Amino acid sequence: MANNRSSNRIVVPAARQALDQMKLEIANELGVANYDSIDKGELPSRVNGYVGGYMVKRLVESAQNQMAGK
């Protein structure tokens, strides 16, 4: 049922480091220390969902600002 391979693929491979950094910053802001070294399977899905959700929110906000010329 659950395999450990992610179906998410980074479209721009050069962005991987920036996305990983963003993920760590957001996790720290949400109070999840050492997110990069934690077994994500041990975290509640709500915590992982918050991190991903805030990442999407920031990326959309960044794209909107870019489109608006800000």
Side-chain angles (χ1 to χ4, degrees), residues 11-33:
V11 177
V12 181
R16 180 178 299 279
Q17 185 176 3
L19 290 170
D20 288 342
Q21 182 63 35
M22 176 187 278
K23 186 184 306 182
L24 293 176
E25 289 172 8
I26 289 171
N28 284 332
E29 289 174 14
L30 294 174
V32 182

Side-chain angles (χ1 to χ4, degrees), residues 26-27 30 32 35 40-54:
I26 289 171
L30 294 174
V32 182
Y35 189 77
K40 308 308 183 282
E42 296 295 320
L43 289 175
S45 58
R46 178 172 280 196
V47 172
N48 284 319
Y50 280 154
V51 174
Y54 277 95

